């Protein structure tokens, strides 16, 4: 029997992120993947600010950015055209990163999944994770102390038994684990049976001088979108509908696609009848908008497409899965350490499911507006700004201090963020031993207590309570005397506290609690706050 703390089922984008993040927090983990290796197709390609911040936390952001810049323009836009050679219909985002430096230390980027996954795999292995390819889950059962799983090597048929304390199911939209748990999906259901056409064609002359990252195409033949690499000679075309969208068969191109039809569709999207085209591959898939009714059951957690499936409009799918793991992995680490109560793990569902449900709805809204505006819009939610969706979403759970107003709010505008408990910590740049350090970098591994320049009272009590609870807690009073300083005096105004106030930030960069002044700077308050943060009440 093989023993590990956490078994991850699935070794694609989300499963590899889980393995890397668990290992980053010192958790012994093993990921099994039925395919022979990492992705062979580009797939997910638009990575959001919050996802890059998560990669930054595990030391991967620089490598991801270098790889992206070799393939794509760093600040591409998102537009709609009749065809590459035809007229432009709309511009959704002019510049992917315009103005984001005020709100994040990271930058959005485009990157093929087949290039990202090897980086994640290598980082996970560097940190100590075990990855097993060509290995599929046969069955599993859980009991009060753990999960016993049987896995099989797909080529040799050899079976092994793995005993883990917890299991993460990142096994895709058809998730056998989710089905075995009896967890249902709810939402708008199937939108189209779509295809992705991987091709080679020299489109450079139509891309020159245009800041195009994602290119939506809408004409009489098809609706979908392009992703082209920097050279303009290779890319893929997603086709969601063909012809007259009032006909049911218009939404089922995957049922009739052939290489000849694929070439015709690519040619129509390019808009040149003479350009040579080579179709390299055709992938069929379902555009679906659904979310699981629960993200966990017992010691098993759903992540990525196993927990939420959404159309690619907006690029939310893979990003949401990575952010699932950024939320869960540190909680597993503290629970396995014995520092946190197992009830802390219940907050994964409480926090991530409402955000994921909102994200599914926003992907659905973008699908209707960009791909199928003729569809009945009953039940469609209003469009929410991309920045709000990426770094403005809010968490509500028993491990976060309650805010009196707006209990049902799922997001806020990060341009106006002021340190609300349940929100991502506002971006400010501090100084650490002579170097600039974003506040999110301080909270990449442990909980952090930040106090204003007159908040010295908090430090000794917080240190004592953290030691009593065996909680790794980094404490920084921004009074100029410690190793971390606030040279631009940003902390108090951006976090909505006085000079004696304080905030507690979790290892995923979200705010647990804040005190506007030091009026409650006592051991009892801090004991309660830290216990709450650990799921202990």
């Amino acid at each position: 029997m093989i023993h590990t703390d956490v078994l991850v089922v699935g070794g694609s984008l989300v499963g590899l992120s889980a393995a890397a993040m668990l290992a980053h927090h010192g958790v012994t983990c093993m990921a099994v993947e039925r395919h022979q290796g990492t992705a062979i197709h580009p797939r997910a390609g638009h990575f959001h600010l919050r996802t890059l911040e998560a990669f930054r936390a595990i030391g991967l952001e620089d490598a991801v950015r270098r790889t992206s810049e070799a393939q794509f323009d760093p600040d591409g836009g998102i537009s709609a055209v009749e065809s590459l050679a035809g007229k432009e219909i709309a511009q959704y985002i002019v510049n992917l990163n315009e103005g984001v430096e005020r709100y994040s230390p990271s930058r959005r980027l485009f990157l093929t999944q087949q290039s990202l996954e090897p980086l994640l795999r290598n980082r996970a292995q560097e940190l100590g994770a075990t990855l097993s390819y060509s290995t599929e889950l046969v069955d599993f059962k859980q009991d009060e102390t753990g999960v016993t799983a049987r896995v099989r090597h797909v080529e040799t048929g050899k079976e092994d038994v793995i005993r883990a304390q917890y299991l993460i199911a990142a096994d895709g939209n058809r998730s056998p684990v989710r089905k075995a748990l009896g967890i249902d999906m709810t939402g708008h259901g199937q939108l189209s049976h779509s295809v992705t056409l991987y091709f080679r064609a020299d489109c450079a002359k139509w891309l020159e001088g245009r800041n195009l990252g994602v290119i939506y195409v809408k004409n009489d033949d098809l609706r979908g979108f392009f992703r082209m690499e920097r050279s303009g000679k290779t890319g893929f075309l997603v086709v969601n509908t063909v012809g007259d969208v009032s006909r049911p068969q218009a939404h089922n191109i995957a049922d009739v696609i052939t290489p000849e039809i694929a070439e015709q569709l690519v040619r129509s999207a390019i808009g040149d009848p003479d350009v040579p085209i080579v179709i390299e591959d055709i992938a069929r898939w379902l555009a679906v908008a659904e979310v699981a009714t629960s993200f966990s059951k017992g010691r098993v957690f759903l992540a990525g497409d196993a927990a939420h499936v959404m159309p690619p409009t907006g690029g939310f799918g893979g990003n949401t899965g990575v952010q699932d793991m950024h939320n869960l992995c540190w909680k597993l680490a503290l629970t396995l350490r014995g520092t946190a109560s197992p009830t802390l793990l219940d907050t994964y569902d409480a926090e991530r499911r409402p955000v994921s449900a909102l994200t599914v709805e926003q992907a659905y809204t973008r699908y209707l507006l960009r791909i199928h505006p003729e569809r009945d819009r009953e039940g469609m939610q209003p469009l929410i700004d991309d920045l709000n969706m990426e770094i403005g979403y809010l968490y509500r759970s028993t491990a976060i201090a309650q805010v009196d107003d707006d209990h049902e709010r799922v997001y806020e505008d990060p341009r106006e963020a002021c340190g609300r408990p349940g929100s991502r910590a506002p971006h400010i740049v501090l100084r650490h031993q002579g170097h600039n350090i974003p506040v999110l970098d301080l909270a990449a591994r442990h909980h952090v207590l930040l106090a204003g320049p007159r908040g010295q009272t908090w430090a000794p009590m917080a240190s004592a309570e953290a030691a009593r609870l065996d909680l790794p807690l980094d404490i920084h009073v921004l009074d100029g005397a410690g190793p971390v300083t606030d040279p631009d005096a940003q902390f108090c105004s951006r976090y909505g506290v006085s000079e004696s106030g304080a905030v507690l930030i979790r290892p995923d960069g979200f705010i647990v609690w804040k005190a506007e002044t030091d009026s409650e700077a006592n051991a009892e308050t801090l004991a309660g706050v830290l216990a709450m943060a650990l799921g202990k009440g």
Side-chain angles (χ1 to χ4, degrees):
M1 183 178 289
I2 301 169
H3 291 268
T4 188
D5 287 335
V6 179
L7 172 63
V8 181
V9 179
S12 190
L13 172 60
V14 177
L16 288 171
S17 296
M21 291 175 188
L22 287 166
H24 168 75
H25 287 290
V27 175
T28 301
C29 62
M30 180 177 183
V32 296
E33 166 57 50
R34 63 186 180 86
H35 290 106
Q36 294 181 351
T38 52
I40 60 172
H41 291 310
R43 292 192 288 178
H46 177 194
F47 290 95
H48 296 169
L49 293 175
R50 192 68 188 123
T51 302
L52 269 295
E53 291 173 358
F55 290 156
R56 181 186 184 93
I58 61 172
L60 191 60
E61 184 184 32
D62 288 345
V64 169
R65 182 160 304 282
R66 287 193 301 270
T67 305
S68 168
E69 290 174 351
Q71 295 178 342
F72 302 101
D73 291 329
D75 299 315
I78 301 178
S79 303
V81 299
E82 287 185 350
S83 66
L84 281 185
K87 72 176 183 179
E88 190 169 284
I89 301 171
Q91 231 176 24
Y92 303 119
I93 296 177
V94 177
N95 182 315
L96 204 63
N97 287 303
E98 184 176 4
V100 301
E101 66 277 359
R102 290 172 288 179
Y103 310 110
S104 175
S106 298
R107 300 293 179 269
R108 298 163 175 146
L109 54 77
F110 296 112
L111 181 62
T112 60
Q113 193 165 329
Q114 68 191 63
S115 298
L116 172 60
E117 286 190 8
L119 299 178
L120 275 168
R121 177 196 62 203
N122 294 342
R123 186 60 179 152
Q125 291 174 325
E126 288 172 1
L127 293 168
T130 299
L131 308 178
S132 181
Y133 289 96
S134 298
T135 303
E136 62 182 358
L137 179 71
V138 177
D139 56 41
F140 71 96
K141 59 182 179 180
Q142 56 177 319
D143 52 50
E144 292 183 357
T145 61
V147 180
T148 302
R150 188 159 54 97
V151 300
R152 177 172 56 221
H153 194 280
V154 297
E155 295 172 359
T156 66
K158 179 180 180 295
E159 293 191 355
D160 288 304
V161 176
I162 301 174
R163 179 66 177 175
Q165 295 197 49
Y166 297 97
L167 185 150
I168 295 174
D171 54 344
N173 63 309
R174 292 185 291 271
S175 181
V177 173
R178 184 188 67 231
K179 292 176 181 177
L181 294 173
I183 296 175
D184 294 327
M185 301 288 284
T186 183
H188 298 282
Q190 180 178 322
L191 307 178
S192 63
H193 195 184
S194 303
V195 294
T196 302
L197 310 176
Y198 301 95
F199 68 91
R200 284 185 285 116
D202 190 351
C203 301
K205 65 180 179 181
W206 297 296
L207 298 174
E208 187 175 353
R210 304 171 73 183
N211 193 32
L212 300 178
V214 175
I215 311 159
Y216 284 89
V217 178
K218 182 179 178 182
N219 60 38
D220 292 340
D221 297 326
L222 69 107
R223 297 180 186 182
F225 63 88
F226 272 121
R227 282 290 316 285
M228 300 294 298
E229 292 198 15
R230 185 191 288 270
S231 68
K233 296 182 179 180
T234 184
F236 65 81
L237 173 68
V238 168
V239 180
N240 299 115
T241 69
V242 292
D244 182 357
V245 294
S246 66
R247 299 179 304 117
Q249 57 266 40
H251 306 274
N252 293 288
I253 179 59
D255 294 341
V256 297
I257 192 70
T258 64
E260 293 74 23
I261 294 175
E263 182 177 338
Q264 293 171 15
L265 291 171
V266 172
R267 190 173 302 284
S268 174
I270 293 173
D272 185 329
D274 300 318
V275 62
I277 296 170
V278 176
I279 301 297
E280 296 188 317
D281 204 355
I282 299 172
R284 299 165 177 83
W285 52 277
L286 294 175
V288 177
E290 292 182 332
V291 65
T293 56
S294 175
F295 279 18
S296 64
K297 189 170 185 178
R299 291 175 171 265
V300 181
F301 303 89
L302 305 181
D305 286 352
H308 39 72
V309 188
M310 58 198 81
T313 37
F316 293 111
N319 288 279
T320 307
V322 172
Q323 293 159 35
D324 289 341
M325 295 301 88
H326 198 210
N327 178 286
L328 177 62
C329 289
W330 68 268
K331 296 175 181 177
L332 284 167
L334 286 180
T335 303
L336 289 162
R337 175 189 170 108
T339 298
S341 165
T343 58
L344 179 64
L345 300 177
D346 295 336
T347 66
Y348 172 63
D349 176 83
E351 293 174 2
R352 286 302 301 168
R353 188 155 53 91
V355 170
S356 298
L358 173 70
T359 307
V360 168
E361 291 295 337
Q362 285 301 300
Y364 176 72
T365 293
R366 285 161 173 77
Y367 185 89
L368 264 59
L369 296 178
R370 299 178 184 179
I371 300 295
H372 194 184
E374 299 87 354
R375 185 180 172 114
D376 183 0
R377 299 190 186 185
E378 183 178 355
M380 185 190 88
Q381 293 187 4
L383 185 70
I384 296 174
D385 174 80
D386 285 68
L387 193 66
N388 293 352
M389 289 300 301
E390 291 182 42
I391 58 174
Y393 57 80
L394 301 172
Y395 288 153
R396 297 281 181 266
S397 75
T398 55
I400 292 173
Q402 297 298 304
V403 180
D404 291 335
D405 64 320
D406 296 324
H407 290 290
E408 301 303 318
R409 288 182 66 179
V410 188
Y411 73 94
E412 67 176 3
D413 189 339
R415 303 167 188 86
E416 302 171 359
C418 60
R420 169 194 294 267
S423 71
R424 164 189 162 279
H427 171 55
I428 60 174
V429 179
L430 304 174
R431 294 283 287 177
H432 179 245
Q433 297 178 345
H435 300 282
N436 288 341
I437 182 168
V439 70
L440 290 175
D441 287 5
L442 291 176
R445 191 180 297 273
H446 300 146
H447 283 76
V448 173
L449 184 78
L450 278 182
R454 296 185 181 180
Q456 294 85 354
T457 311
W458 295 103
M461 288 181 290
S463 179
E465 289 302 321
R468 183 178 67 81
L469 292 168
D470 190 30
L471 170 67
L473 177 66
D474 296 330
I475 302 169
H476 303 291
V477 179
L478 303 176
D479 57 2
V484 177
T485 61
D486 183 13
D488 298 324
Q490 303 175 79
F491 172 69
C492 294
S493 61
R494 291 295 307 280
Y495 283 72
V497 298
S498 72
E499 291 191 346
S500 66
V503 298
L504 179 65
I505 306 174
R506 313 189 316 188
D508 60 356
F510 276 76
I511 295 174
V512 175
W513 158 92
K514 80 172 180 179
E516 294 183 5
T517 71
D518 62 356
S519 61
E520 293 186 276
N522 55 65
E524 182 180 5
T525 294
L526 282 167
V529 167
L530 295 179
M532 174 190 66
L534 297 174
K536 295 183 175 181

